Amino acid sequence: MMKVAIVGSGFIGRAWAISFARAGHDVRMWDQSPAATEGAHDYIAGVLGDLAANDLLRGQAIDVVLGRIAVVAELEEALADAVHIQENTPENLDVKREVFSQIDAMAGPQAVIASSTSALLPSKFTDHLQGRHRCLVVHPINPPYLIPAAEVVPAPWTSSETVERTRAFIVDAGHAPLVMKHELDGFIMNRLQGALLEEAFRLVADGYASVEDVDIGIRDGLALRWSFMGRSKRSTLMRRAVYATMSSAINRSMPTFFRRCCAASTGPAKSSRRWRPTAASGCRGKNSANGRFGATAG
């Protein structure tokens, strides 16, 4: 059992607490706003009840898992002896820089410091830290106690040891890590979502299909098809065959779009390029003003 600190105890923080406690870890939750932690135990108990009813607590009793989660009043108390620290504060760069400064100064040298951000690159809020080598992003696909995928995104200075420790930690907690080699706007999941959304908007904007028909294609087509496929157990040969078929189809149907997406997402040399939806697509989320993706995976 490890000690885990949750910094920022809104819905994402509570969801992580459930995931980590279910994995057997001692979890301490802290938030600067008492309102954020008020009722946290009751909320978590309700979710645990639903998980237990569906046999998703690894055979553990609700009170056992809930007993591993404590709400504490002081940040220092939450961080004491923590091996993994999961930060879940608002998507505000100044806030994250300040919070990471406090955590880095207080946390023990053994602790990994991870952020749940879905939009901010780790280099933007860890560059000033003495312990920046132990900082990275672990972005959940919400809610993490139901969806195993989690993106692991290192900053340029994150040590390989930190990445490997984090990968092993979240695998042990029942997650499926997507480990990026380099940071990139949108990470993996939001870039994949962005590609699908942009093409959906383009099909409607260019008059090829109605909103309803595109919605049917995703809801009653792709979503069901992907759910039936389940967790991949196909052979390497099958995966290669599927990839080759899809690549060929994509190149035939929309080569310009495909090449642009690939060009925007290849290697560290391209990491500063921000892929933005075209004006015609109408794909504009709340974060579009700063070049971020408006749709979020988490």
Side-chain angles (χ1 to χ4, degrees):
M1 181 176 68
M2 298 181 184
K3 290 186 177 180
V4 178
I6 301 293
V7 178
S9 301
F11 289 118
I12 299 297
R14 296 177 187 188
W16 273 126
I18 292 168
S19 183
F20 294 145
R22 179 177 58 184
H25 300 304
D26 179 13
V27 180
R28 283 164 294 186
M29 303 173 63
W30 174 87
D31 197 290
Q32 66 174 358
S33 171
T37 52
E38 183 179 352
H41 255 86
D42 290 342
Y43 172 86
I44 290 172
V47 174
L48 292 177
D50 291 338
L51 294 177
N54 290 279
D55 194 26
L56 294 173
L57 286 185
R58 298 186 175 186
Q60 303 169 96
I62 296 172
D63 58 344
V64 171
V65 178
L66 188 61
R68 298 186 184 123
I69 302 173
V71 175
V72 299
E74 301 296 333
L75 175 59
E76 191 169 10
E77 182 180 0
L79 300 180
D81 301 320
V83 174
H84 182 89
I85 301 165
Q86 191 73 35
E87 171 271 330
N88 314 278
T89 59
E91 297 284 82
N92 180 293
L93 185 58
D94 292 335
V95 169
K96 292 204 183 291
R97 287 181 69 87
E98 175 59 27
V99 170
F100 264 74
S101 294
Q102 294 181 41
I103 295 174
D104 187 48
M106 294 182 184
Q110 80 286 355
V112 168
I113 310 174
S115 174
S116 296
T117 181
S118 64
L120 300 175
L121 298 179
S123 63
K124 300 298 184 182
F125 53 87
T126 65
D127 60 309
H128 61 298
L129 302 177
Q130 182 176 357
R132 65 183 189 171
H133 64 280
R134 58 174 174 166
C135 300
L136 74 175
V137 164
V138 178
H139 171 229
I141 314 304
N142 200 40
Y145 51 77
L146 289 180
I147 302 177
E151 297 176 302
V152 177
V153 187
W157 40 77
T158 304
S159 71
S160 57
E161 179 190 6
T162 295
V163 174
E164 176 54 31
R165 283 180 57 197
T166 303
R167 186 203 64 79
F169 173 76
I170 64 173
V171 166
D172 181 69
H175 291 279
L178 292 72
V179 182
M180 295 193 70
K181 296 180 180 180
H182 310 279
E183 63 176 20
L184 180 68
D185 282 328
F187 308 152
I188 296 174
M189 295 302 298
N190 279 333
R191 294 181 75 84
L192 292 176
Q193 277 193 155
L196 179 61
L197 288 172
E198 179 170 3
E199 188 57 25
F201 282 121
R202 181 182 287 113
L203 287 169
V204 173
D206 292 350
Y208 290 105
S210 68
V211 171
E212 292 76 15
D213 287 324
V214 171
D215 189 48
I216 290 171
I218 296 174
R219 183 191 66 225
D220 299 325
L222 290 177
L224 289 177
R225 180 185 185 187
W226 290 337
S227 67
F228 291 153
M229 292 170 70
R231 299 186 69 173
S232 178
K233 296 183 184 298
R234 295 183 296 274
S235 67
T236 300
L237 180 61
M238 178 61 74
R239 289 198 299 271
R240 288 176 178 172
V242 170
Y243 176 78
T245 301
M246 290 178 65
S247 296
S248 176
I250 290 172
N251 273 303
R252 288 196 306 271
S253 62
M254 47 179 180
T256 302
F257 174 63
F258 180 69
R259 285 196 298 269
R260 183 163 59 84
C261 288
C262 288
S265 60
T266 52
K270 301 289 186 181
S271 62
S272 63
R273 292 187 59 175
R274 291 177 175 174
W275 171 52
R276 307 186 187 195
T278 61
S281 73
C283 182
R284 291 291 182 269
K286 63 181 179 180
N287 295 320
S288 63
N290 62 6
R292 306 292 185 192
F293 288 80
T296 59

